Amino acid sequence: MFLGRIRRTPSGPVELVARHPDGGLISLAGLGGDDPVALIASLGLDRLAEHAAGRRPELAEDEVLFEPPVATCTKICCLALNYAAHAEESGMEVPPEPVLFFKPPSALTGHNRPVIAPARTRHLEHEVELAVVIGKATRDLPAERWREAVAGYTVINDMTARDLQLANIARNVPWDQSKGFDTFAPVGPYLATSDEVSDPQALELTLEVDGEVRQRANTKQMVFDIPRLIADLSDGMTLMPGDLIATGTIAGIAPLKDGETMRATVTGVGTLVNTVKFRSA
């Protein structure tokens, strides 16, 4: 299933929906709550599918406002340099161990929402990534049991104020702020449940800017695969339901201009669209 969180109007309540196979959205409001991860845990995928089966779409995608497809998120765990080609274009070596940084939940925004760069930056770059959605509290999970932690997958665009990041790297100080501004973690449109993705290490990733392909690669090229990442991150740190693991971007990062529109796609998971706005423009 492809589960989303939407509003019918800007001030309306958040509703849970499922994407119909033929297009359009089926309301799941009658199930109670707008948290897809919690509903997967409490009802199971079979009951969710039964509820949606045979129902016709009530809403069109272009008639609603998308929220991030997770209702609660305590942290966004982001992996740096997890593709060799991206490490090379960044002038860095492939790390011997996973390199972790965090984005705050306040950075989250939804599909078709603007990414707003603060006035302090004039150099914003895109980074398409596959995101793993954690389904239950997870700590010290062995790599071979990684699927126990996963509720599903979504698309994330790891927005970066590159000028601020490089300045902080040169000063040898943390650069998390350059990644953590409001709207710098667009995600969605949907949570693709785990049964929709048979092999998350065989997915095509692309990012287009106003129709021009900037990034293209496959998740099979990850340096550290998803089982290793979940085992590493949960070693001594609890991953909570709704937390996101952004598994790293691919080569092709490049500057963005005010008003440009990004289309970040992970095959079989979804296409996330966001337009860039610079406060300094």
Side-chain angles (χ1 to χ4, degrees):
M1 299 184 72
F2 292 85
L3 302 173
R5 300 174 63 249
I6 60 98
R7 296 180 193 268
R8 302 189 188 213
T9 64
S11 59
V14 178
E15 297 181 40
L16 184 64
V17 295
R19 191 184 72 191
H20 191 275
D22 296 330
L25 304 174
I26 300 167
S27 176
L28 301 178
L31 295 178
D34 65 3
D35 187 339
V37 175
L39 280 176
I40 291 169
S42 63
L43 298 181
L45 290 177
D46 289 344
R47 286 190 61 190
L48 280 174
E50 288 173 5
H51 184 82
R55 302 184 64 185
R56 301 303 303 167
E58 304 170 34
L59 301 163
E61 290 180 315
D62 60 2
E63 295 176 338
V64 303
L65 302 171
F66 280 87
E67 296 289 336
V70 289
T72 59
C73 177
T74 69
K75 52 191 171 293
I76 307 167
C77 303
C78 303
L79 279 301
L81 307 175
N82 200 30
Y83 288 82
H86 173 56
E88 181 180 355
E89 73 174 350
S90 301
M92 298 183 178
E93 296 182 358
V94 174
E97 301 286 338
V99 176
L100 171 67
F101 64 93
F102 294 99
K103 284 182 183 258
S106 56
L108 289 170
T109 193
H111 171 64
N112 279 334
R113 303 290 185 130
V115 169
I116 302 173
R120 68 175 70 191
T121 181
R122 287 173 168 77
H123 187 158
L124 189 65
E125 293 189 359
H126 51 75
E127 299 188 13
V128 59
E129 307 187 16
L130 172 68
V132 179
V133 182
I134 297 299
K136 69 175 186 178
T138 300
R139 180 173 170 176
D140 301 328
L141 188 68
E144 62 270 19
R145 293 170 49 197
W146 68 276
R147 291 185 184 275
E148 297 176 20
V150 178
Y153 306 89
T154 191
V155 185
I156 191 168
N157 192 346
D158 173 17
M159 303 303 301
T160 305
R162 195 71 70 195
D163 49 355
L164 304 184
Q165 183 192 38
L166 293 177
N168 284 341
I169 289 174
R171 293 170 54 214
N172 197 31
V173 299
W175 39 262
D176 298 66
Q177 186 183 44
S178 67
K179 298 270 194 175
F181 294 113
D182 290 355
T183 74
F184 270 36
V187 63
Y190 301 101
L191 187 164
T193 55
S194 56
D195 60 311
E196 295 285 351
V197 180
S198 59
D199 184 0
Q201 302 297 162
L203 303 175
E204 291 289 323
L205 300 93
T206 59
L207 187 132
E208 301 175 16
V209 177
D210 286 352
E212 174 195 0
V213 176
R214 297 270 189 91
Q215 294 181 277
R216 174 175 286 151
N218 192 286
T219 55
K220 67 184 178 183
Q221 297 167 294
M222 285 184 193
V223 176
F224 304 106
D225 63 12
I226 291 170
R228 170 67 189 277
L229 294 178
I230 290 176
D232 185 84
L233 293 172
S234 70
D235 182 5
M237 179 175 71
T238 302
L239 303 174
M240 298 299 294
D243 284 355
L244 300 174
I245 300 174
T247 55
T249 199
I250 58 180
I253 57 174
L256 292 155
K257 297 177 182 178
D258 184 66
E260 289 185 323
T261 297
M262 304 169 290
R263 291 178 59 88
T265 300
V266 180
T267 303
V269 176
T271 295
L272 171 68
V273 180
N274 301 93
T275 297
V276 175
K277 294 185 179 181
F278 279 84
R279 291 196 184 279
S280 58

